[in-house]
Amino acid sequence: MEELNAPVTTDTAPTETPTETPTENWYDSLPDEYKSNPNVTKYKSQEELLNGHINLTKKIGEKGLTKPETDEDWKKAYEFLGKPESIEGYEFTPNEELPDELKLDEQMATSFKEVAHEIGLNPNQYEKLMSSYMAMNEQGFKARKEQMDAELLASEKELKETWGQAYDQNIEMARNIVKKYDNGGKLTKLLETPFNGSSLGNNPVLLNMLANVAKSTMEDGGLVGRGAGIPTSEDLETELGKLINHPAYLDGNNPEHKQIAKQVSNIYKKLYPQ
């Protein structure tokens, strides 16, 4: 009978575990550019982000962005920014096509490196500074040369208009007198030395002056010159041949005709004295 009074049990279906709703990330509500930024997503909460920002600000203030005060501070700052240990850490390759007047010799290059090292430049800053310096020098040189060439052409044109057919003869006279009065070749070397893209020996103003000196000297005894000895008959005959073939001597209307005729007369008197 006890079995008849036992509690009755019934089978029930197993209880199902409810599905968990995914947890929303704290930065999901931020704009897209922040949601994909690893510097934001690496933090698990807003509190972590704020703490990280505050700590980073403290570190920057303590180490990286404070203004150096002592010489030692500046030294460390320059070294941190890339200042080399010695001037050998600087390199610069100038343009090989630069005019000789603009090329840096070894002493000048060393001086630039020493200054760069003293003021704390890193190699990249040094190279850019030197490139800018050389470029400005080259531009200035080209501008000066163009101006001088233009002035030279204008002066030469004026000289040809003044001398006319006597231009080549006067040029030769000017160069001959340089040779006659030269001191061991020093004057010739000076006149041939490049100066701002030209040379003094090609300067029309100087050539005009030398031609006038040559004419004046011939009147006083030929191109041998005062104090250099008495001209020989061969010297006088050579000079006479040049003068009688001079365009101005052959042209009575030439403004230089009278002067050259006088020179011819003086040489005749020396060659054939009465």
Side-chain angles (χ1 to χ4, degrees), residues 235-249:
D235 293 332
L236 293 174
E237 288 176 355
T238 299
E239 203 58 49
L240 179 62
K242 292 180 180 180
L243 290 173
I244 61 178
N245 289 298
H246 195 290
Y249 181 73

mmCIF file with all atom_site columns, all heavy atoms in Angstrom, residues 235-249:
data_model
loop_
_atom_site.group_PDB
_atom_site.id
_atom_site.type_symbol
_atom_site.label_atom_id
_atom_site.label_alt_id
_atom_site.label_comp_id
_atom_site.label_asym_id
_atom_site.label_entity_id
_atom_site.label_seq_id
_atom_site.pdbx_PDB_ins_code
_atom_site.Cartn_x
_atom_site.Cartn_y
_atom_site.Cartn_z
_atom_site.occupancy
_atom_site.B_iso_or_equiv
_atom_site.pdbx_formal_charge
_atom_site.auth_seq_id
_atom_site.auth_comp_id
_atom_site.auth_asym_id
_atom_site.auth_atom_id
_atom_site.pdbx_PDB_model_num
ATOM 1   N N   . ASP A 1 235 ? 113.556 97.933  -85.442 1.00 0.00 ? 235 ASP A N   1
ATOM 2   C CA  . ASP A 1 235 ? 112.332 98.229  -84.698 1.00 0.00 ? 235 ASP A CA  1
ATOM 3   C C   . ASP A 1 235 ? 111.539 99.330  -85.376 1.00 0.00 ? 235 ASP A C   1
ATOM 4   O O   . ASP A 1 235 ? 110.309 99.242  -85.528 1.00 0.00 ? 235 ASP A O   1
ATOM 5   C CB  . ASP A 1 235 ? 112.672 98.658  -83.260 1.00 0.00 ? 235 ASP A CB  1
ATOM 6   C CG  . ASP A 1 235 ? 113.261 97.526  -82.444 1.00 0.00 ? 235 ASP A CG  1
ATOM 7   O OD1 . ASP A 1 235 ? 112.937 96.369  -82.738 1.00 0.00 ? 235 ASP A OD1 1
ATOM 8   O OD2 . ASP A 1 235 ? 114.038 97.814  -81.516 1.00 0.00 ? 235 ASP A OD2 1
ATOM 9   N N   . LEU A 1 236 ? 112.252 100.387 -85.787 1.00 0.00 ? 236 LEU A N   1
ATOM 10  C CA  . LEU A 1 236 ? 111.575 101.521 -86.395 1.00 0.00 ? 236 LEU A CA  1
ATOM 11  C C   . LEU A 1 236 ? 110.951 101.142 -87.731 1.00 0.00 ? 236 LEU A C   1
ATOM 12  O O   . LEU A 1 236 ? 109.843 101.587 -88.061 1.00 0.00 ? 236 LEU A O   1
ATOM 13  C CB  . LEU A 1 236 ? 112.566 102.666 -86.583 1.00 0.00 ? 236 LEU A CB  1
ATOM 14  C CG  . LEU A 1 236 ? 113.091 103.304 -85.289 1.00 0.00 ? 236 LEU A CG  1
ATOM 15  C CD1 . LEU A 1 236 ? 114.180 104.324 -85.605 1.00 0.00 ? 236 LEU A CD1 1
ATOM 16  C CD2 . LEU A 1 236 ? 111.961 103.958 -84.514 1.00 0.00 ? 236 LEU A CD2 1
ATOM 17  N N   . GLU A 1 237 ? 111.653 100.347 -88.517 1.00 0.00 ? 237 GLU A N   1
ATOM 18  C CA  . GLU A 1 237 ? 111.118 99.942  -89.818 1.00 0.00 ? 237 GLU A CA  1
ATOM 19  C C   . GLU A 1 237 ? 109.877 99.055  -89.647 1.00 0.00 ? 237 GLU A C   1
ATOM 20  O O   . GLU A 1 237 ? 108.913 99.167  -90.421 1.00 0.00 ? 237 GLU A O   1
ATOM 21  C CB  . GLU A 1 237 ? 112.196 99.193  -90.608 1.00 0.00 ? 237 GLU A CB  1
ATOM 22  C CG  . GLU A 1 237 ? 113.305 100.108 -91.124 1.00 0.00 ? 237 GLU A CG  1
ATOM 23  C CD  . GLU A 1 237 ? 114.415 99.338  -91.814 1.00 0.00 ? 237 GLU A CD  1
ATOM 24  O OE1 . GLU A 1 237 ? 114.356 98.084  -91.801 1.00 0.00 ? 237 GLU A OE1 1
ATOM 25  O OE2 . GLU A 1 237 ? 115.347 99.972  -92.350 1.00 0.00 ? 237 GLU A OE2 1
ATOM 26  N N   . THR A 1 238 ? 109.938 98.186  -88.648 1.00 0.00 ? 238 THR A N   1
ATOM 27  C CA  . THR A 1 238 ? 108.769 97.335  -88.381 1.00 0.00 ? 238 THR A CA  1
ATOM 28  C C   . THR A 1 238 ? 107.564 98.177  -87.997 1.00 0.00 ? 238 THR A C   1
ATOM 29  O O   . THR A 1 238 ? 106.444 97.964  -88.491 1.00 0.00 ? 238 THR A O   1
ATOM 30  C CB  . THR A 1 238 ? 109.082 96.340  -87.251 1.00 0.00 ? 238 THR A CB  1
ATOM 31  O OG1 . THR A 1 238 ? 110.176 95.497  -87.650 1.00 0.00 ? 238 THR A OG1 1
ATOM 32  C CG2 . THR A 1 238 ? 107.865 95.469  -86.937 1.00 0.00 ? 238 THR A CG2 1
ATOM 33  N N   . GLU A 1 239 ? 107.795 99.158  -87.118 1.00 0.00 ? 239 GLU A N   1
ATOM 34  C CA  . GLU A 1 239 ? 106.699 100.014 -86.685 1.00 0.00 ? 239 GLU A CA  1
ATOM 35  C C   . GLU A 1 239 ? 106.203 100.879 -87.829 1.00 0.00 ? 239 GLU A C   1
ATOM 36  O O   . GLU A 1 239 ? 104.997 101.111 -87.972 1.00 0.00 ? 239 GLU A O   1
ATOM 37  C CB  . GLU A 1 239 ? 107.178 100.892 -85.526 1.00 0.00 ? 239 GLU A CB  1
ATOM 38  C CG  . GLU A 1 239 ? 106.072 101.398 -84.645 1.00 0.00 ? 239 GLU A CG  1
ATOM 39  C CD  . GLU A 1 239 ? 105.273 100.249 -84.042 1.00 0.00 ? 239 GLU A CD  1
ATOM 40  O OE1 . GLU A 1 239 ? 105.876 99.313  -83.492 1.00 0.00 ? 239 GLU A OE1 1
ATOM 41  O OE2 . GLU A 1 239 ? 104.035 100.300 -84.157 1.00 0.00 ? 239 GLU A OE2 1
ATOM 42  N N   . LEU A 1 240 ? 107.129 101.338 -88.671 1.00 0.00 ? 240 LEU A N   1
ATOM 43  C CA  . LEU A 1 240 ? 106.745 102.161 -89.809 1.00 0.00 ? 240 LEU A CA  1
ATOM 44  C C   . LEU A 1 240 ? 105.857 101.369 -90.765 1.00 0.00 ? 240 LEU A C   1
ATOM 45  O O   . LEU A 1 240 ? 104.850 101.887 -91.280 1.00 0.00 ? 240 LEU A O   1
ATOM 46  C CB  . LEU A 1 240 ? 107.999 102.645 -90.548 1.00 0.00 ? 240 LEU A CB  1
ATOM 47  C CG  . LEU A 1 240 ? 107.747 103.512 -91.789 1.00 0.00 ? 240 LEU A CG  1
ATOM 48  C CD1 . LEU A 1 240 ? 107.019 104.798 -91.400 1.00 0.00 ? 240 LEU A CD1 1
ATOM 49  C CD2 . LEU A 1 240 ? 109.076 103.831 -92.497 1.00 0.00 ? 240 LEU A CD2 1
ATOM 50  N N   . GLY A 1 241 ? 106.204 100.090 -90.987 1.00 0.00 ? 241 GLY A N   1
ATOM 51  C CA  . GLY A 1 241 ? 105.397 99.258  -91.873 1.00 0.00 ? 241 GLY A CA  1
ATOM 52  C C   . GLY A 1 241 ? 103.968 99.099  -91.349 1.00 0.00 ? 241 GLY A C   1
ATOM 53  O O   . GLY A 1 241 ? 103.008 99.101  -92.130 1.00 0.00 ? 241 GLY A O   1
ATOM 54  N N   . LYS A 1 242 ? 103.819 98.967  -90.030 1.00 0.00 ? 242 LYS A N   1
ATOM 55  C CA  . LYS A 1 242 ? 102.481 98.841  -89.449 1.00 0.00 ? 242 LYS A CA  1
ATOM 56  C C   . LYS A 1 242 ? 101.681 100.128 -89.633 1.00 0.00 ? 242 LYS A C   1
ATOM 57  O O   . LYS A 1 242 ? 100.488 100.100 -89.946 1.00 0.00 ? 242 LYS A O   1
ATOM 58  C CB  . LYS A 1 242 ? 102.583 98.502  -87.959 1.00 0.00 ? 242 LYS A CB  1
ATOM 59  C CG  . LYS A 1 242 ? 103.136 97.124  -87.685 1.00 0.00 ? 242 LYS A CG  1
ATOM 60  C CD  . LYS A 1 242 ? 103.205 96.879  -86.168 1.00 0.00 ? 242 LYS A CD  1
ATOM 61  C CE  . LYS A 1 242 ? 103.764 95.503  -85.868 1.00 0.00 ? 242 LYS A CE  1
ATOM 62  N NZ  . LYS A 1 242 ? 103.849 95.248  -84.394 1.00 0.00 ? 242 LYS A NZ  1
ATOM 63  N N   . LEU A 1 243 ? 102.363 101.250 -89.431 1.00 0.00 ? 243 LEU A N   1
ATOM 64  C CA  . LEU A 1 243 ? 101.647 102.525 -89.474 1.00 0.00 ? 243 LEU A CA  1
ATOM 65  C C   . LEU A 1 243 ? 101.198 102.896 -90.882 1.00 0.00 ? 243 LEU A C   1
ATOM 66  O O   . LEU A 1 243 ? 100.075 103.383 -91.079 1.00 0.00 ? 243 LEU A O   1
ATOM 67  C CB  . LEU A 1 243 ? 102.534 103.633 -88.901 1.00 0.00 ? 243 LEU A CB  1
ATOM 68  C CG  . LEU A 1 243 ? 102.786 103.559 -87.385 1.00 0.00 ? 243 LEU A CG  1
ATOM 69  C CD1 . LEU A 1 243 ? 103.812 104.605 -86.965 1.00 0.00 ? 243 LEU A CD1 1
ATOM 70  C CD2 . LEU A 1 243 ? 101.496 103.770 -86.621 1.00 0.00 ? 243 LEU A CD2 1
ATOM 71  N N   . ILE A 1 244 ? 102.070 102.690 -91.867 1.00 0.00 ? 244 ILE A N   1
ATOM 72  C CA  . ILE A 1 244 ? 101.689 103.107 -93.223 1.00 0.00 ? 244 ILE A CA  1
ATOM 73  C C   . ILE A 1 244 ? 100.609 102.188 -93.812 1.00 0.00 ? 244 ILE A C   1
ATOM 74  O O   . ILE A 1 244 ? 99.964  102.545 -94.813 1.00 0.00 ? 244 ILE A O   1
ATOM 75  C CB  . ILE A 1 244 ? 102.917 103.149 -94.169 1.00 0.00 ? 244 ILE A CB  1
ATOM 76  C CG1 . ILE A 1 244 ? 103.550 101.767 -94.290 1.00 0.00 ? 244 ILE A CG1 1
ATOM 77  C CG2 . ILE A 1 244 ? 103.922 104.192 -93.688 1.00 0.00 ? 244 ILE A CG2 1
ATOM 78  C CD1 . ILE A 1 244 ? 104.752 101.743 -95.251 1.00 0.00 ? 244 ILE A CD1 1
ATOM 79  N N   . ASN A 1 245 ? 100.427 101.033 -93.183 1.00 0.00 ? 245 ASN A N   1
ATOM 80  C CA  . ASN A 1 245 ? 99.339  100.143 -93.601 1.00 0.00 ? 245 ASN A CA  1
ATOM 81  C C   . ASN A 1 245 ? 98.107  100.286 -92.720 1.00 0.00 ? 245 ASN A C   1
ATOM 82  O O   . ASN A 1 245 ? 97.124  99.562  -92.899 1.00 0.00 ? 245 ASN A O   1
ATOM 83  C CB  . ASN A 1 245 ? 99.818  98.684  -93.583 1.00 0.00 ? 245 ASN A CB  1
ATOM 84  C CG  . ASN A 1 245 ? 100.801 98.383  -94.704 1.00 0.00 ? 245 ASN A CG  1
ATOM 85  O OD1 . ASN A 1 245 ? 100.466 98.483  -95.881 1.00 0.00 ? 245 ASN A OD1 1
ATOM 86  N ND2 . ASN A 1 245 ? 102.026 98.014  -94.351 1.00 0.00 ? 245 ASN A ND2 1
ATOM 87  N N   . HIS A 1 246 ? 98.168  101.184 -91.795 1.00 0.00 ? 246 HIS A N   1
ATOM 88  C CA  . HIS A 1 246 ? 97.041  101.418 -90.891 1.00 0.00 ? 246 HIS A CA  1
ATOM 89  C C   . HIS A 1 246 ? 95.897  102.054 -91.683 1.00 0.00 ? 246 HIS A C   1
ATOM 90  O O   . HIS A 1 246 ? 96.109  102.989 -92.467 1.00 0.00 ? 246 HIS A O   1
ATOM 91  C CB  . HIS A 1 246 ? 97.481  102.347 -89.751 1.00 0.00 ? 246 HIS A CB  1
ATOM 92  C CG  . HIS A 1 246 ? 96.532  102.365 -88.597 1.00 0.00 ? 246 HIS A CG  1
ATOM 93  N ND1 . HIS A 1 246 ? 95.283  102.938 -88.662 1.00 0.00 ? 246 HIS A ND1 1
ATOM 94  C CD2 . HIS A 1 246 ? 96.655  101.877 -87.334 1.00 0.00 ? 246 HIS A CD2 1
ATOM 95  C CE1 . HIS A 1 246 ? 94.687  102.811 -87.492 1.00 0.00 ? 246 HIS A CE1 1
ATOM 96  N NE2 . HIS A 1 246 ? 95.501  102.177 -86.664 1.00 0.00 ? 246 HIS A NE2 1
ATOM 97  N N   . PRO A 1 247 ? 94.673  101.575 -91.501 1.00 0.00 ? 247 PRO A N   1
ATOM 98  C CA  . PRO A 1 247 ? 93.537  102.148 -92.245 1.00 0.00 ? 247 PRO A CA  1
ATOM 99  C C   . PRO A 1 247 ? 93.397  103.652 -92.050 1.00 0.00 ? 247 PRO A C   1
ATOM 100 O O   . PRO A 1 247 ? 93.020  104.368 -92.990 1.00 0.00 ? 247 PRO A O   1
ATOM 101 C CB  . PRO A 1 247 ? 92.332  101.397 -91.664 1.00 0.00 ? 247 PRO A CB  1
ATOM 102 C CG  . PRO A 1 247 ? 92.883  100.111 -91.173 1.00 0.00 ? 247 PRO A CG  1
ATOM 103 C CD  . PRO A 1 247 ? 94.264  100.437 -90.661 1.00 0.00 ? 247 PRO A CD  1
ATOM 104 N N   . ALA A 1 248 ? 93.713  104.135 -90.882 1.00 0.00 ? 248 ALA A N   1
ATOM 105 C CA  . ALA A 1 248 ? 93.567  105.566 -90.627 1.00 0.00 ? 248 ALA A CA  1
ATOM 106 C C   . ALA A 1 248 ? 94.602  106.386 -91.403 1.00 0.00 ? 248 ALA A C   1
ATOM 107 O O   . ALA A 1 248 ? 94.327  107.522 -91.818 1.00 0.00 ? 248 ALA A O   1
ATOM 108 C CB  . ALA A 1 248 ? 93.695  105.830 -89.117 1.00 0.00 ? 248 ALA A CB  1
ATOM 109 N N   . TYR A 1 249 ? 95.793  105.813 -91.605 1.00 0.00 ? 249 TYR A N   1
ATOM 110 C CA  . TYR A 1 249 ? 96.824  106.524 -92.364 1.00 0.00 ? 249 TYR A CA  1
ATOM 111 C C   . TYR A 1 249 ? 96.460  106.619 -93.842 1.00 0.00 ? 249 TYR A C   1
ATOM 112 O O   . TYR A 1 249 ? 96.782  107.590 -94.521 1.00 0.00 ? 249 TYR A O   1
ATOM 113 C CB  . TYR A 1 249 ? 98.155  105.794 -92.199 1.00 0.00 ? 249 TYR A CB  1
ATOM 114 C CG  . TYR A 1 249 ? 99.298  106.452 -92.925 1.00 0.00 ? 249 TYR A CG  1
ATOM 115 C CD1 . TYR A 1 249 ? 99.851  107.643 -92.456 1.00 0.00 ? 249 TYR A CD1 1
ATOM 116 C CD2 . TYR A 1 249 ? 99.831  105.889 -94.092 1.00 0.00 ? 249 TYR A CD2 1
ATOM 117 C CE1 . TYR A 1 249 ? 100.908 108.253 -93.125 1.00 0.00 ? 249 TYR A CE1 1
ATOM 118 C CE2 . TYR A 1 249 ? 100.879 106.485 -94.765 1.00 0.00 ? 249 TYR A CE2 1
ATOM 119 C CZ  . TYR A 1 249 ? 101.410 107.684 -94.278 1.00 0.00 ? 249 TYR A CZ  1
ATOM 120 O OH  . TYR A 1 249 ? 102.454 108.291 -94.941 1.00 0.00 ? 249 TYR A OH  1
#
